Amino acid sequence: QVQLVESGGGLVQPGGSLTLSCAASGRAFSPICMGWFRQAPGKEREFVAVIGWNDGTTRYADSVKGRFTISRDNAKNTLYLRMNTLKPEDTAVYYCTARRGVGSLRPEDYDFWGQGTQVTVSS
């Protein structure tokens, strides 16, 4: 089994920055890609960003392009999401996820999920 544990969420003012981390563990951990999704109250879970675990190729949702950066440290089995110029509409629970297949925008395509970390952007 694979365990994903997110950290780094919190309360930040509009225009501020946060970095989320996701530590992965487990014998079965051999993803093809890892990503971040988010879910705001009353809304569906939505794609944020994905990265190829081996080749580092990235893809972003239009709403975060230019503000968020996804990266990974393969040696530490850790995924990151650097979030700059945060907006109130970025407020959500952010989930780390991993997939044995190529990157997808659909949450149902992913195999493993973390428990989520809350990000609140408010003055």
Side-chain angles (χ1 to χ4, degrees):
Q1 186 64 311
V2 172
Q3 293 80 42
L4 303 175
V5 180
E6 303 97 334
S7 61
L11 173 64
V12 63
Q13 292 187 344
S17 299
L18 277 177
T19 298
L20 306 183
S21 299
C22 173
S25 62
R27 292 183 178 181
F29 183 68
S30 58
I32 300 300
C33 68
M34 292 191 71
W36 294 94
F37 282 73
R38 66 186 182 186
Q39 189 166 17
K43 295 188 176 181
E44 294 186 350
R45 193 167 296 191
E46 66 172 359
F47 168 79
V48 175
V50 64
I51 187 167
W53 194 249
N54 296 314
D55 62 13
T57 56
T58 59
R59 184 173 181 180
Y60 297 91
D62 289 342
S63 59
V64 307
K65 201 172 295 182
R67 299 188 297 121
F68 290 11
T69 302
I70 189 171
S71 62
R72 88 279 192 229
D73 184 330
N74 297 56
K76 296 182 179 179
N77 283 351
T78 302
L79 179 72
Y80 303 98
L81 185 68
R82 174 65 176 178
M83 305 184 293
N84 295 327
T85 320
L86 282 160
K87 305 174 181 180
E89 51 264 43
D90 294 317
T91 295
V93 177
Y94 283 71
Y95 295 92
C96 170
T97 186
R99 183 170 190 240
R100 295 190 180 98
V102 297
S104 171
L105 305 186
R106 306 190 313 167
E108 58 266 34
D109 289 339
Y110 286 79
D111 302 301
F112 305 102
W113 291 87
Q115 81 289 349
T117 186
Q118 176 70 47
V119 172
T120 302
V121 185
S122 175
S123 55

